[in-house]
Amino acid sequence: METRDLILEIGTEEIPSGYFAHILDLLSFKEGSIKEIFEAEHIRIEGAASYSTPRRIILMLKDIPISQDMVIDGPPTRVAYDKAKAPTKALEAFIKKNDASIDDIEVFQDKKEQRVRLTKKGVSNKEALERILPKVIRSLDFPKTMRWNEEDFVFARPLRWILALFGDEILRFSLAGIESSNITYGHRFLGHDKIKVKDADSYFRVLEKNHVMWDNEQRKDKILTFLQKKRWQENMQLLEEVNNLVEYPYFLEGTFKKDYLTLPEEVLLASMSKHQRIFCLKDKQDALTNRFGAVLNGRYRGMRGIRRNYENVLDARLKDAFFFYESDTKKSLADWAEGLGEMVFHKELGTVKEKVERLKEIAAFFLKETGIKGVDKKALSRAISLSKADLLTQMVREFPSLQGVVGGYYALVSGEGNEVATAIGEHYLPRFSGDHLPKTEAAIICSLADKFDNIVCYFKIGKFPKGSWDLYALRRQSIGIISILLNKQIHLSLEKAFDYVCGITPASCDKGKIKVVYLNFFKERFIAFIKEKYDYRYDLLDSVIASGVDDPYDCSLKLGDLDSMIDEPCFEKARCIVERTYNITRSSKLKAEEPKAALFKDAKERSLYGRYKEIRDEFMGLCAGKEYRRATELYGDSLAEEVHSFFADVMVNVSDKDLKKNRTALLSAINRLYRDNIADLSKIVVTRE
Amino acid sequence: MLFQDIIERLEKFWKKEGCVLAQAYDIEMGAGTFHPLTFFRSLGKEPWRVGFVQPSRRPTDGRYADNPLRMQRYYQYQVIIKPSPDDIQQVYLRSLKALGIRPKSHDIRFVEDDWESPTLGASGLGWEVWLDSLEITQFTYFQQMGGFELNPISCEITYGLERIAMFSQGTDDAFKLQWNDNTTYADICKRDEQESCQYNFKAQDTTITAQLFDIYEKESRRLIGMELLLPAYEYMLKTSHAFNLLDASGVISVTERASHIGRVRSLAKACAKLYIESREQ
């Protein structure tokens, strides 16, 4: 079968750097449904590769058949033939429409009835591809789109050319007022414009010659290698961004006045990355130096002038940062905090000052609940009072990402103690997945209090995260909470936290309803968190989750213990007990009812009950001590034999209703003992040999 | 290139592109976008091309003439092209060449910038144009003006004249710029800049400014009621500047800030509505 490669290049004006990752995933079929657009036209794709530069989005498909046999379904046999089995007008029309002959027709049975169909040999795929590609382009979605002409078409930025080659043939279609062609454009300043490309094979060579490094990964490697060699202050996010701002990376090193190294490190770095997208370089001792590295879009004449210009701009920017620092610190952080009464947290949720007052109470509650020791309560309360003051400073207004960090620095300048400054500086942590966690106890409490307050408050006014929409970053904050609780080994009941925080926050709501949403939300986030960090069996996770996620750290302990013993005999014993007792009691409507000893008839049931009572308190004690491995061993080893011999000799489904009820209650109690306290092991999937 | 030559070259360049060479508006404004020839003309269907220098006032950006890049009053060269032509980026780059900026000797970049003017109820998508990492131009495809979706789309190109001149003259401080051969930018602007900063940040009687805000707003409202479009719009501009002054003085709280912006926007929207309705008649 003869095949060809397909190249689609969507030429645009510069697309925002953050938009590409998603688009490349769509085009390489990692997400979305572009593959189905091809399949709907019966074109099977072996492999799709996608690339991008700021000015182009590229899709390459390997080995697409030039032509293929196409099966076309026709009318049912009862319509296609008359009583004499001669072809009807309908059949003739079908044949004519498809440019075939009566010999091509065959009869087949579909789900309902007999029909005819024909197979056209060697139908060119060109037309199908010409129908497909505009749909592919239309299916690309962006966070923000725009119009630029009178066409009814939106895209991230104006579309300027479309190159569509199938081997050496142009796939012709038009979109947004543009006719597809075999014309591409090189690097905006270093390459040629309007370059005719002979065929798909030569396309990438043409780009290379015209200073376009089209492979995102290769481009990134080149940048990264250079930056590592120059001892960069690592900033992967900025690297991603810079990589999508250039078609042909070239490096420039420059310096700034050493005086600026006295600025808080975060301020220095934020200023460099925000305004000029440049990296700070370090010395051999890993300390920041007054050197920077910039990634230019190509190698130009007059690099010395470019360097001087970069340095001048940086100087002005850092001067500005100094201006903010000096004018902000003329007032103490406590003075800044005075203004919080005027600052609205949210119009339905009061001012930030009110929030801060509330955080003090929430912190005191968490301190009590979690049993965290060694916190200087005065420092904690002071830290909370000042924690939001930096929101009013010029520095944070200029660099919103530095909230907290700036507060921490200004606290020290204002003469607050280290404990206070650290708690302020760390209370937004972790800000993203993989970020540092707050280190000190006071910072941990501040961080938890702030996050719970945000989540509960926004839930109360109905601002739940939906789909990809999470304006208040509540998902990220809930993951932050879980991450802190697990890493710092803190026990906290999510439900109790909700009840308390809900009780002292403004805005009224249907508390019961919101609590259900809140608990489900945390459950989902917990599952997502665990799946990302650990490789537990999904059924083990299910079974632990089934027993509730009220205390995330506790859940993680159960998971750890059970995972470590999942292949051991005592786990299997426990699992069998839970499963068998579950199977027989699941249809009964018994509510947590204890069996009555007086009603037992059989020695087996009496002895099982006796054993159950014997271990129950010890089991509960182990659970209370979070010793889930030992609890499971106790449960499995002590009960397995008795349970099985009970099942062998004692009938549960007897006609004596009281007796039946009592026996069910016994088994249910045994089931619940494990299920309510550790995990519902009936959810464990067993492969039987 | 002298500061005045840069303006002259831009005028010449955009004249050839068919622009009306207009003059600055004689009321304080934060940007050329507030000029009636931008605001109103981007609303209608007719083609429109215009270029003009607009002195722009941003009281909070003042630095007492100490910072080489931030000033409370600076000069923009503003171009509006409607509908936006397909090769507008190339045309823009040619205009840089006319200013002696050769693209092959500099790192020129179009860096994403989603522009929004909450006071005008306007938004657009486009870029900051970077010349060796300095933003020298705002390049925007307007999508909304005065709360109305636009069609056709106007392209707004706003040059920061001081910054371009600094490049051209190789100086790192706007106040050192040569305006012509024997007059510097500082000769013309420095004292004004320092005194204005004094006024904006310290000397303002904010009670008066706050009263002015209310008075201007009221007057604009009244004129909107009389359907006197331009006078109403002019009082909106004055309201907006009074707000900017209050913002710089620091007396305005975060809540008040949002509500003041909302009040100005509602005037701007009313003016846009009036304009569209009057065109329809």
Side-chain angles (χ1 to χ4, degrees):
Chain A
M1 187 169 53
E2 205 183 332
T3 64
R4 285 176 181 172
D5 295 348
L6 180 150
I7 298 278
L8 171 68
E9 180 190 58
I10 308 162
T12 65
E13 296 182 357
E14 283 77 354
I15 291 180
S17 56
Y19 289 9
F20 290 107
H22 170 62
I23 295 303
L24 294 184
D25 281 350
L26 290 178
L27 287 174
S28 52
F29 306 163
K30 279 183 199 136
E31 49 173 292
S33 53
I34 288 183
K35 194 172 187 180
E36 282 132 46
I37 302 178
F38 284 89
E39 282 167 353
E41 295 269 6
H42 306 288
I43 294 185
R44 224 163 50 101
I45 306 293
E46 297 300 335
S50 55
Y51 310 99
S52 71
T53 75
R55 290 178 83 197
R56 66 198 82 225
I57 296 167
I58 304 164
L59 168 67
M60 183 180 67
L61 302 172
K62 293 289 276 180
D63 301 329
I64 297 182
I66 291 177
S67 61
Q68 58 191 37
D69 295 346
M70 195 159 68
V71 177
I72 303 165
D73 290 353
T77 326
R78 60 186 162 78
V79 178
Y81 298 99
D82 60 18
K83 278 175 190 147
K85 303 222 162 143
T88 59
K89 284 247 162 58
L91 181 56
E92 276 165 13
F94 173 66
I95 290 166
K96 192 169 172 216
K97 188 178 133 210
N98 288 294
D99 197 19
S101 80
I102 187 79
D103 300 336
D104 299 328
I105 294 290
E106 60 175 338
V107 173
F108 76 106
Q109 180 73 39
D110 83 350
K111 278 180 207 138
K112 272 171 30 204
E113 57 190 334
Q114 253 192 1
R115 307 178 75 93
V116 300
R117 69 181 171 198
L118 61 79
T119 304
K120 285 180 82 175
K121 295 269 180 214
V123 179
S124 163
N125 275 332
K126 189 165 171 268
E127 290 73 23
L129 291 169
E130 285 171 343
R131 285 190 298 273
I132 290 169
L133 293 186
K135 287 185 197 155
V136 168
I137 299 174
R138 280 181 190 280
S139 75
L140 301 178
D141 61 322
F142 301 92
K144 277 188 191 169
T145 55
M146 60 173 280
R147 285 181 306 113
W148 60 94
N149 56 20
E150 310 224 11
E151 299 279 330
D152 183 24
F153 184 83
V154 296
F155 211 65
R157 286 294 184 274
L159 223 141
R160 292 305 181 204
W161 77 87
I162 299 170
L163 173 143
L165 283 171
F166 183 39
D168 58 0
E169 267 187 295
I170 300 173
L171 295 172
R172 294 196 184 275
F173 57 92
S174 76
L175 189 72
I178 297 170
E179 300 286 330
S180 65
S181 73
N182 57 348
I183 304 282
T184 187
Y185 289 71
H187 184 286
R188 194 187 271 291
F189 304 115
L190 304 174
H192 291 97
D193 278 353
K194 297 199 174 104
I195 314 161
K196 208 173 258 177
V197 180
K198 200 170 104 245
D199 54 25
D201 287 344
S202 56
Y203 169 74
F204 289 113
R205 274 204 308 281
V206 169
L207 289 189
E208 243 165 63
K209 266 193 208 156
N210 284 278
H211 291 87
V212 176
M213 203 180 258
W214 41 272
D215 184 335
N216 307 58
E217 289 305 312
Q218 201 191 334
R219 216 164 55 223
K220 192 162 109 189
D221 280 350
K222 189 176 168 189
I223 299 172
L224 185 60
T225 309
F226 176 86
L227 290 171
Q228 281 171 341
K229 206 175 90 195
K230 293 291 177 185
R231 311 185 65 84
W232 67 318
Q233 168 68 31
E234 190 177 299
N235 184 342
M236 293 310 281
Q237 205 187 336
L238 184 60
L239 172 65
E240 288 293 339
E241 195 184 344
V242 161
N243 188 34
N244 285 319
L245 279 175
V246 296
E247 298 209 286
Y248 189 84
Y250 189 76
F251 301 96
L252 177 89
E253 232 185 293
T255 57
F256 55 88
K257 284 193 203 116
K258 282 203 168 127
D259 301 354
Y260 294 130
L261 288 170
T262 59
L263 276 170
E265 185 173 308
E266 292 86 345
V267 170
L268 183 70
L269 295 174
S271 182
M272 293 172 89
S273 72
K274 181 185 171 190
H275 297 301
Q276 292 176 281
R277 317 287 201 276
I278 57 180
F279 300 88
C280 199
L281 304 177
K282 298 187 293 187
D283 62 17
K284 288 202 174 123
Q285 282 74 47
D286 263 358
L288 294 184
T289 68
N290 64 326
R291 291 181 302 120
F292 67 86
V295 181
L296 309 188
N297 183 28
R299 180 181 186 167
Y300 301 100
R301 291 195 296 259
M303 290 304 284
R304 212 190 294 163
I306 296 178
R307 171 179 158 163
R308 197 187 58 235
N309 292 336
Y310 263 83
E311 288 175 344
N312 286 344
V313 175
L314 179 57
D315 188 72
R317 294 302 189 183
L318 295 178
K319 201 177 234 173
D320 227 24
F322 244 101
F323 175 89
F324 294 140
Y325 187 81
E326 284 181 355
S327 96
D328 284 348
T329 50
K330 278 181 191 146
K331 263 163 71 170
S332 74
L333 198 56
D335 288 341
W336 281 108
E338 297 285 303
L340 292 176
E342 308 265 338
M343 185 175 191
V344 173
F345 169 45
H346 183 284
K347 65 177 188 290
E348 293 170 59
L349 299 167
T351 67
V352 177
K353 188 176 166 63
E354 286 160 8
K355 179 188 170 91
V356 165
E357 291 310 316
R358 194 161 71 227
L359 289 180
K360 287 186 196 165
E361 293 177 47
I362 298 174
F365 172 77
F366 283 172
L367 207 53
K368 197 175 87 223
E369 278 297 308
T370 59
I372 292 178
K373 297 269 181 308
V375 181
D376 175 350
K377 285 186 187 152
K378 242 173 104 184
L380 176 63
S381 159
R382 179 75 177 162
I384 293 174
S385 309
L386 301 178
S387 61
K388 302 294 175 190
D390 67 353
L391 295 178
L392 294 165
T393 64
Q394 295 184 76
M395 190 71 90
V396 172
R397 274 156 70 176
E398 177 77 7
F399 301 109
S401 67
L402 294 184
Q403 59 180 4
V405 174
V406 168
Y409 278 102
Y410 288 1
L412 286 177
V413 176
S414 314
E416 303 293 337
N418 274 325
E419 179 83 11
V420 173
T422 311
I424 296 170
E426 295 189 336
H427 86 280
Y428 289 105
L429 299 184
R431 293 155 301 183
F432 49 87
S433 165
D435 192 17
H436 298 291
L437 298 178
K439 282 188 292 288
T440 66
E441 283 73 17
I444 289 169
I445 293 285
C446 283
S447 174
L448 289 175
D450 188 36
K451 290 176 174 61
F452 272 106
D453 183 74
N454 286 336
I455 292 171
V456 174
C457 276
Y458 286 119
F459 270 48
K460 281 173 90 173
I461 58 169
K463 306 281 180 197
F464 315 114
K466 271 182 223 122
S468 57
W469 190 89
D470 187 7
L471 189 60
Y472 302 104
L474 302 181
R475 287 203 191 98
R476 188 169 54 64
Q477 295 187 64
S478 65
I479 287 281
I481 288 173
I482 293 167
S483 180
I484 291 173
L485 295 177
L486 266 55
N487 281 288
K488 303 292 178 182
Q489 313 190 341
I490 298 167
H491 289 287
L492 180 69
S493 157
L494 295 173
E495 189 171 352
K496 277 191 192 167
F498 178 87
D499 289 341
Y500 183 80
V501 178
C502 188
I504 65 164
T505 41
S508 54
C509 68
D510 180 341
K511 192 179 158 194
K513 214 169 104 192
I514 297 296
K515 183 147 92 177
V516 172
V517 179
Y518 158 95
L519 288 172
N520 268 323
F521 168 74
F522 263 102
K523 185 165 102 183
E524 278 170 31
R525 302 330 294 162
F526 179 77
I527 293 170
F529 181 87
I530 292 291
K531 279 187 177 163
E532 200 196 307
K533 302 268 180 218
Y534 303 94
D535 208 13
Y536 295 136
R537 273 171 49 171
Y538 73 92
D539 52 344
L540 180 65
L541 183 57
D542 282 353
S543 71
V544 170
I545 296 290
S547 300
V549 202
D550 188 47
D551 177 348
Y553 173 51
D554 191 40
C555 261
S556 78
L557 291 177
K558 292 176 186 172
L559 279 165
D561 273 10
L562 296 185
D563 180 65
S564 75
M565 63 188 305
I566 199 160
D567 294 323
E568 292 174 20
C570 61
F571 179 85
E572 175 58 16
K573 281 187 201 163
R575 190 198 65 75
C576 275
I577 300 168
V578 176
E579 187 187 35
R580 292 194 79 173
T581 51
Y582 168 74
N583 285 342
I584 198 136
T585 56
R586 68 176 150 187
S587 55
S588 78
K589 291 184 188 83
L590 271 187
K591 297 246 170 64
E593 218 169 287
E594 285 294 308
K596 298 186 183 78
L599 288 175
F600 290 130
K601 276 190 169 167
D602 195 297
K604 288 272 165 64
E605 59 183 321
R606 213 162 271 134
S607 116
L608 176 60
Y609 181 61
R611 180 55 67 88
Y612 160 73
K613 269 182 46 183
E614 231 173 88
I615 65 149
R616 189 179 54 194
D617 290 346
E618 190 185 348
F619 181 88
M620 297 295 276
L622 288 170
C623 286
K626 314 297 174 196
E627 299 202 52
Y628 298 113
R629 167 177 266 276
R630 283 183 56 200
T632 305
E633 284 166 357
L634 174 72
Y635 186 81
D637 288 342
S638 322
L639 295 173
E641 222 165 287
E642 308 268 352
V643 167
H644 297 312
S645 73
F646 174 94
F647 277 111
D649 296 343
V650 182
M651 278 286 287
V652 176
N653 285 319
V654 289
S655 52
D656 179 343
K657 276 197 180 150
D658 286 339
L659 188 59
K660 177 180 169 184
K661 195 174 153 194
N662 200 45
R663 285 177 178 168
T664 310
L666 172 60
L667 295 175
S668 168
I670 290 170
N671 180 272
R672 276 184 284 110
L673 181 63
Y674 197 90
R675 199 186 59 193
D676 290 353
N677 292 297
I678 305 183
D680 182 0
L681 296 182
S682 69
K683 292 192 181 298
I684 295 289
V685 177
V686 187
T687 41
R688 306 203 190 268
E689 275 144 42
Chain B
M1 200 176 291
L2 298 170
F3 191 69
Q4 62 187 29
D5 289 347
I6 287 174
I7 296 172
E8 193 185 10
R9 294 265 186 119
L10 284 172
E11 301 254 85
K12 214 167 129 190
F13 181 89
W14 288 105
K15 187 172 97 179
K16 273 196 197 146
E17 293 294 323
C19 285
V20 169
L21 296 185
Q23 300 300 319
Y25 209 67
D26 54 348
I27 289 181
E28 305 98 322
M29 50 180 63
T33 316
F34 288 76
H35 197 304
L37 292 183
T38 303
F39 183 82
F40 290 119
R41 298 291 177 129
S42 63
L43 284 166
K45 285 270 175 210
E46 309 81 2
W48 176 240
R49 293 187 166 214
V50 69
F52 53 87
V53 175
Q54 181 62 50
S56 302
R57 303 244 196 168
R58 308 212 171 153
T60 45
D61 279 351
R63 296 289 182 272
Y64 298 92
D66 279 343
N67 187 291
L69 291 179
R70 287 218 203 203
M71 289 166 280
Q72 56 88 40
R73 183 174 185 274
Y74 71 103
Y75 294 91
Q76 290 185 341
Y77 193 84
Q78 157 105 341
V79 177
I80 296 292
I81 305 276
K82 180 175 75 170
S84 68
D86 289 350
D87 62 346
I88 187 67
Q89 276 187 315
Q90 281 88 325
V91 176
Y92 166 73
L93 290 169
R94 279 212 309 277
S95 78
L96 291 187
K97 277 189 204 162
L99 297 175
I101 297 168
R102 290 189 307 279
K104 284 188 183 176
S105 305
H106 293 284
D107 183 36
I108 298 176
R109 228 85 70 80
F110 289 84
V111 181
E112 150 188 31
D113 188 32
D114 297 340
W115 170 85
E116 201 179 2
S117 169
T119 39
L120 286 183
S123 68
L125 265 59
W127 310 271
E128 303 174 344
V129 183
W130 285 14
L131 177 60
D132 298 343
S133 83
L134 180 64
E135 180 193 348
I136 55 162
T137 303
Q138 280 275 349
F139 196 121
T140 309
Y141 291 95
F142 285 156
Q143 302 289 303
Q144 243 191 27
M145 188 63 76
F148 290 90
E149 289 292 329
L150 302 177
N151 189 18
I153 299 292
S154 300
C155 190
E156 182 196 55
I157 300 175
T158 306
Y159 300 82
L161 290 172
E162 288 83 354
R163 293 179 173 197
I164 290 169
M166 282 161 69
F167 263 87
S168 181
Q169 298 185 18
T171 169
D172 57 3
D173 185 350
F175 292 94
K176 289 185 196 149
L177 288 170
Q178 287 297 135
W179 195 294
N180 71 3
D181 285 327
N182 45 33
T183 309
T184 65
Y185 191 89
D187 292 337
I188 294 180
C189 300
K190 191 161 185 173
R191 181 171 171 178
D192 298 0
E193 182 68 19
Q194 289 165 333
E195 288 182 353
S196 295
C197 284
Q198 280 284 343
Y199 171 74
N200 297 340
F201 291 131
K202 296 191 177 128
Q204 244 192 93
D205 182 335
T206 51
T207 320
I208 289 182
T209 316
Q211 283 168 359
L212 286 175
F213 180 92
D214 293 338
I215 292 168
Y216 291 149
E217 183 199 25
K218 200 171 156 199
E219 184 66 347
S220 178
R221 274 273 161 241
R222 190 177 71 87
L223 293 166
I224 289 166
M226 296 172 71
E227 302 192 0
L228 279 173
L229 182 62
L230 199 71
Y233 186 76
E234 289 186 333
Y235 274 95
M236 182 282 288
L237 292 176
K238 288 171 185 285
T239 316
S240 171
H241 183 60
F243 160 71
N244 288 338
L245 287 172
L246 287 172
D247 196 24
S249 73
V251 296
I252 206 161
S253 75
V254 180
T255 358
E256 283 178 314
R257 199 169 183 277
S259 101
H260 276 65
I261 290 174
R263 282 159 71 183
V264 180
R265 180 170 57 238
S266 121
L267 297 176
K269 281 187 168 176
C271 290
K273 187 161 170 267
L274 207 55
Y275 177 78
I276 287 176
E277 284 167 359
S278 67
R279 272 172 28 90
E280 279 164 4
Q281 279 162 17

